[in-house]
Amino acid sequence: MASGDEPSGELASSLRAIGARYQELSQFPTVTHAALGAGHATSAGGQTFPLYTECSQPDLARRRRLRFSRHYSVHRSPGSAVSVSRAALSAEIHHQLLGQLSPTGQHRAVLTRCPGLGHELLEVWGSTGRSCSVDLTALGKHGEVYKEGPFACLTWSHAEKQLLYVAEKSQPRPQPLFSWDAPGAARPAEEEEEEKGEQFLYHEDWGEALSTCSMPVLCVLDIEESSVTVLEGVPEDVSPGQALWSPDDSGVVFVGWWHAPFRLGLSACSNRRSGIFYLDLSNGRCELLSAEHRAACSPRLSPDGRRLLYLEGAVGGPHRQCLQLRMITWHTRLTATVLDVVQEPTDAFAGIYTDALPPQCWAADSRRALLSTPQRSRTDLLLVDTEAATVMNLTAGLPEGCWVLLTTQWDLLVATCSAPHQPPSLVVGVLPPAGQELTLHWVRAEDAPPVPGVSWKTLTVQVPCGEQSPPPCGTRAFEAVLLSPPAGAALHPLVVCPHGGPHSVFDARWRPTTAALCQLGFAVLMVNYRGSLGFGQAGIDSLLSRVGEQDVTDTQLAAERALESEPLDRRRVALLGGSHGAFIALHLLARHPEHYQACAVRSPVTNLATLLGTSDIPDWRYAALGLPYSFERVPRAEDLAAMLLRSPIAQAPRVRAPVLLCVGARDRRVCPTQALEFYRVLRARGVPVRLLWYPEGNHALSGVETEADVFGNCARWIIRHLGQPCRAAPGQHSP
């Protein structure tokens, strides 16, 4: 499928440089989990807390992701000064699927996979060793436990006697309609006639990245009895997840997603109808605590058990939106809005756009809560006073552009911070008393120095007033994050990157791929066109019915502004994007063929009309064009015509620049044949085009080997058609 000659000596040298940059910059670990143990008093009157963290790092040699633990001691003085020291050597995590410390920090629950049999074991460990081990697979009460995604949880009861988790419902083994055994062969006596003929029955799942999630059930492990119970009482038309115990352990709070009449894709979609439920274990009664026709998730109970925070948004429309922060007073069941949807952002607050609250988000006073969320082109740490309904940005103005809160326990905050030129650092702080929060001081437990050869800034782009069909007032500005190599004698080539989604955002965080491109000598422009998260709900809504127009125009405008204001070579400009970002890139190739010399895209949307029957989120195809959606809706000719006219495939004959297409054969969100269709059109018209088909790839093209191969081929493609940049910054740091 490839076109073009084998790489010359110069391109071979570039390929080695690409591999070296990627291998070096991708090795900085990411902290994925943190938990604080119970504190111990020191002789000086302070306290020492054990801090356990889990990290993830690509292992290119073994073609898999390396998981390992790091242990620290956090020392808190009587004056609330804090220091951190390493407590043990790092250790690789083997076979562990889930882990959770108990509320007192005295026990740890671990879900492991037995390497011999492949069975799942749920174990409890303490200071004296293992106190409980149950072979869940051998019990056969349910299917596999959910390890990640929107349903997964592993939650201790407050009394530390029970564990709550979510697993796939156990299903009887389906039998073929006809018996192919030899005449007279014995058949199991318990085989039911009703189960015959269902061997190939279709079972719905929750779409992209959730293909193994079909019928989740709530499960409880009784630690003292070493017994497992699958809870009854959950409504049959609801899939439960994100469960936690009620204040007195007498019931279970969970999120339930309605799946009638059929399931729509849930990954990256906060607009699915869902609610906060309470299941009373004493009588089996299940009640809905949140609003009836809303999308609710991420319940978090305060330390005193009096308040329950959660996120809530609208059903339908944009697949990700600005959310409300809602709170239930537990004993009265009264619900109040703490923070409402923000239509137009202010300097103080732009709204909430995260898909989940931190697992431990409450301050010790059970009044204040903390969360991380995009705020324009940053991700900041916000503090919310739930009684006063006020919000404060704790990280605004700090040099790092992305702050992620990992946990809050005993008013100790554990977070990571990063920037486009700085890999993530693990930091710890003590939350000051109410009214003094801005005096918060961070101490670095693990500090990653900035990488050389990368600088960055945020550009604000104003939309001209003469634009046709103007969007709502206040949405005429957007932002882009520009990464630049060191200034040199020659101008830098530019790689323009619109993000996917489209309702997502390029925040100013560490990304090994963009840093590697910068070190190779390219400037990289990451465009947050109107419709991106972090800029108010009005900005999100402004893209509806303007997909394929406003997003494309904004990206082109950002590229032109950067070329005018920065030392960039306008004769060497490439496009790089994935999913909806690829949709924008392919549009730009057709509309501005003289501006772009190369394009590399991943999982591209090329034909909105054919996606209608192949994507796990067909509702978005209507919403994108401002058309109403219902489960019963049948496509009309005018709908399909409108979708086709907004699609890159309709303008493919105008494309002249070389195009690289990367797709995963297992993509449920954007069918890989979208790229194949576009490839065939370009191939037939003599346009240089190459298609990479990853048999096990999903929509994100995730996986250590796949991610490395995709980046290497995209960078190689851009260098091949733009030419070698004038200088490549040497790598000098390793994690």
Side-chain angles (χ1 to χ4, degrees), residues 79-268:
S80 291
V82 67
S83 62
V84 185
S85 60
R86 278 283 190 100
L89 296 176
S90 301
E92 185 174 0
I93 298 173
H94 295 282
H95 313 304
Q96 179 178 313
L97 307 174
L98 281 175
Q100 188 65 51
L101 278 178
S102 65
T104 63
Q106 300 299 315
H107 306 281
R108 180 172 174 78
V110 179
L111 177 72
T112 62
R113 188 180 301 280
C114 180
L117 299 175
H119 285 202
E120 291 183 341
L121 310 179
L122 187 52
E123 303 177 333
V124 176
W125 292 78
S127 58
T128 59
R130 188 177 67 182
S131 59
C132 176
S133 179
V134 176
D135 188 332
L136 301 179
T137 306
L139 282 180
K141 293 290 188 71
H142 53 70
E144 288 195 355
V145 176
Y146 290 11
K147 291 87 175 174
E148 57 186 1
F151 300 101
C153 65
L154 181 59
T155 312
W156 284 87
S157 63
H158 298 88
E160 302 189 357
K161 295 181 179 180
Q162 295 174 300
L163 284 165
L164 179 63
Y165 61 95
V166 177
E168 182 67 16
K169 184 178 180 180
S170 180
Q171 300 285 358
R173 184 176 180 179
Q175 301 294 330
L177 183 60
F178 302 106
S179 173
W180 307 114
D181 296 328
R187 302 288 294 174
E190 65 274 11
E191 185 178 288
E192 298 289 341
E193 288 295 327
E194 295 81 40
E195 297 172 8
K196 288 187 175 182
E198 297 189 353
Q199 185 178 9
F200 302 105
L201 182 67
Y202 172 69
H203 292 280
E204 290 183 17
D205 57 52
W206 284 99
E208 173 64 28
L210 299 170
S211 60
T212 60
C213 302
S214 180
M215 292 294 294
V217 290
L218 300 177
C219 308
V220 173
L221 168 66
D222 186 305
I223 296 172
E224 294 179 345
E225 301 293 333
S226 293
S227 62
V228 170
T229 302
V230 176
L231 298 183
E232 298 181 353
V234 176
E236 293 184 357
D237 59 346
V238 160
S239 289
Q242 299 181 15
L244 64 152
W245 295 91
S246 64
D248 56 0
D249 290 342
S250 63
V252 171
V253 177
F254 65 92
V255 178
W257 286 267
W258 276 270
H259 43 67
F262 57 83
R263 295 164 179 79
L264 293 170
L266 185 57
S267 177

Side-chain angles (χ1 to χ4, degrees), residues 37-107:
H40 303 281
T42 63
S43 58
Q47 286 182 298
T48 298
F49 300 83
L51 171 59
Y52 170 83
T53 66
E54 293 180 6
C55 303
S56 175
Q57 180 182 33
D59 188 339
L60 297 176
R62 289 188 280 181
R63 270 59 167 186
R64 66 176 181 82
R65 194 163 294 278
L66 176 67
R67 296 175 60 221
F68 62 95
S69 62
R70 283 176 172 171
H71 300 259
Y72 306 86
S73 289
V74 179
H75 310 279
R76 181 177 178 177
S77 71
S80 291
V82 67
S83 62
V84 185
S85 60
R86 278 283 190 100
L89 296 176
S90 301
E92 185 174 0
I93 298 173
H94 295 282
H95 313 304
Q96 179 178 313
L97 307 174
L98 281 175
Q100 188 65 51
L101 278 178
S102 65
T104 63
Q106 300 299 315
H107 306 281

Side-chain angles (χ1 to χ4, degrees), residues 377 420 454-461 478-485 492-500 506-507 511 513-515 517-518 521-529 552-566 568 572-577 581 584-585 588 596 718:
S377 296
V454 181
S455 61
W456 69 280
K457 66 171 69 172
T458 301
L459 305 179
T460 300
V461 184
F478 62 95
E479 294 181 351
V481 179
L482 177 66
L483 280 67
S484 301
H492 298 300
L494 176 65
V495 179
V496 179
C497 305
H499 63 69
F506 271 138
D507 60 0
R511 294 178 178 82
T513 52
T514 53
L517 283 173
C518 208
F522 294 95
V524 181
L525 184 68
M526 299 185 293
V527 183
N528 290 322
Y529 46 86
V552 177
T553 301
D554 284 358
T555 303
Q556 178 64 18
L557 182 60
E560 292 174 355
R561 292 291 185 270
L563 290 167
E564 291 170 1
S565 61
E566 306 295 328
L568 302 171
R572 294 196 294 167
V573 183
L575 287 159
L576 179 66
I584 295 172
L588 287 170
Y596 301 99
I718 292 171

Side-chain angles (χ1 to χ4, degrees), residues 403-701:
W403 291 78
V404 177
L405 182 66
L406 298 171
T407 189
T408 303
Q409 294 170 268
W410 305 291
D411 282 348
L412 285 171
L413 312 182
V414 183
T416 61
C417 59
S418 70
H421 72 309
Q422 183 173 341
S425 296
L426 181 68
V427 295
V428 178
V430 178
L431 180 65
Q436 304 175 34
E437 290 92 350
L438 292 181
T439 65
L440 173 62
H441 174 68
W442 296 101
V443 174
R444 295 180 182 266
E446 294 287 346
D447 190 14
V451 299
V454 181
S455 61
W456 69 280
K457 66 171 69 172
T458 301
L459 305 179
T460 300
V461 184
Q462 294 290 338
V463 179
C465 294
E467 182 192 69
Q468 293 182 350
S469 301
C473 179
T475 58
R476 288 196 172 277
F478 62 95
E479 294 181 351
V481 179
L482 177 66
L483 280 67
S484 301
L491 300 177
H492 298 300
L494 176 65
V495 179
V496 179
C497 305
H499 63 69
H503 302 302
S504 181
V505 65
F506 271 138
D507 60 0
R509 72 175 60 214
W510 168 254
R511 294 178 178 82
T513 52
T514 53
L517 283 173
C518 208
Q519 282 198 343
L520 289 166
F522 294 95
V524 181
L525 184 68
M526 299 185 293
V527 183
N528 290 322
Y529 46 86
R530 287 172 294 166
S532 301
L533 300 180
F535 296 83
Q537 184 63 32
I540 293 173
D541 291 338
S542 73
L543 188 56
L544 300 184
S545 78
R546 296 182 175 89
V547 164
E549 295 177 354
Q550 177 176 290
D551 43 4
V552 177
T553 301
D554 284 358
T555 303
Q556 178 64 18
L557 182 60
E560 292 174 355
R561 292 291 185 270
L563 290 167
E564 291 170 1
S565 61
E566 306 295 328
L568 302 171
D569 188 349
R570 63 173 54 251
R571 298 170 303 174
R572 294 196 294 167
V573 183
L575 287 159
L576 179 66
S579 191
H580 191 84
F583 170 87
I584 295 172
L586 296 177
H587 266 302
L588 287 170
L589 283 186
R591 297 185 191 182
H592 305 278
E594 72 283 359
H595 284 204
Y596 301 99
Q597 287 71 52
C599 178
V601 294
R602 310 174 310 279
S603 309
V605 176
T606 68
N607 191 331
L608 293 173
T610 57
L611 268 185
L612 206 54
T614 59
S615 174
D616 66 333
I617 54 171
D619 59 312
W620 169 241
R621 310 309 162 197
Y622 288 102
L625 298 185
L627 301 173
Y629 172 79
S630 66
F631 286 95
E632 301 85 3
R633 179 160 183 158
V634 176
R636 298 178 298 181
E638 54 267 33
D639 298 337
L640 298 178
M643 293 177 188
L644 181 60
L645 289 175
R646 294 285 187 90
S647 300
I649 192 68
Q651 301 185 59
R654 299 184 60 191
V655 173
R656 295 290 179 267
V659 177
L660 172 67
L661 305 159
C662 306
V663 296
R666 296 182 179 271
D667 190 342
R668 299 279 301 280
R669 180 109 339 151
V670 178
C671 182
T673 55
Q674 292 261 311
L676 183 59
E677 180 185 22
F678 204 84
Y679 166 84
R680 287 169 172 165
V681 171
L682 297 187
R683 187 72 181 271
R685 303 183 71 87
V687 177
V689 60
R690 192 168 188 242
L691 175 63
L692 300 180
W693 187 280
Y694 297 90
E696 302 301 319
N698 56 8
H699 184 62
L701 289 174

Side-chain angles (χ1 to χ4, degrees), residues 207-432:
E208 173 64 28
L210 299 170
S211 60
T212 60
C213 302
S214 180
M215 292 294 294
V217 290
L218 300 177
C219 308
V220 173
L221 168 66
D222 186 305
I223 296 172
E224 294 179 345
E225 301 293 333
S226 293
S227 62
V228 170
T229 302
V230 176
L231 298 183
E232 298 181 353
V234 176
E236 293 184 357
D237 59 346
V238 160
S239 289
Q242 299 181 15
L244 64 152
W245 295 91
S246 64
D248 56 0
D249 290 342
S250 63
V252 171
V253 177
F254 65 92
V255 178
W257 286 267
W258 276 270
H259 43 67
F262 57 83
R263 295 164 179 79
L264 293 170
L266 185 57
S267 177
C269 295
S270 64
N271 62 341
R272 302 296 179 228
R273 186 188 174 205
S274 54
I276 308 297
F277 290 83
Y278 172 63
L279 176 62
D280 191 325
L281 298 182
S282 64
N283 56 25
R285 180 172 175 265
C286 189
E287 62 175 310
L288 176 64
L289 302 181
S290 59
E292 178 72 29
H293 294 285
R294 299 282 285 172
C297 68
S298 200
R300 302 289 184 263
L301 189 67
S302 62
D304 63 7
R306 296 175 57 193
R307 298 177 173 94
L308 184 75
L309 274 183
Y310 64 96
L311 299 172
E312 186 175 280
V315 175
H319 61 88
R320 293 189 67 186
Q321 308 177 21
C322 186
L323 302 178
Q324 294 177 317
L325 183 64
R326 301 271 283 168
M327 184 172 68
I328 298 173
T329 302
W330 184 255
H331 294 294
T332 65
R333 297 295 198 267
L334 293 178
T335 304
T337 298
V338 179
L339 296 176
D340 210 342
V341 170
V342 173
Q343 292 295 326
E344 301 289 348
T346 65
D347 292 339
F349 182 48
I352 298 176
Y353 306 89
T354 182
D355 55 2
L357 297 172
Q360 302 285 341
C361 68
W362 282 96
D365 58 16
S366 293
R367 170 171 175 163
R368 296 174 294 169
L370 298 104
L371 59 99
S372 300
T373 184
Q375 300 288 281
R376 294 186 172 87
S377 296
R378 293 175 55 92
T379 291
D380 280 315
L381 177 58
L382 307 183
L383 182 137
V384 181
D385 186 321
T386 61
E387 293 185 7
T390 58
V391 61
M392 180 185 302
N393 193 323
L394 299 179
T395 54
L398 295 181
E400 298 84 4
C402 178
W403 291 78
V404 177
L405 182 66
L406 298 171
T407 189
T408 303
Q409 294 170 268
W410 305 291
D411 282 348
L412 285 171
L413 312 182
V414 183
T416 61
C417 59
S418 70
H421 72 309
Q422 183 173 341
S425 296
L426 181 68
V427 295
V428 178
V430 178
L431 180 65

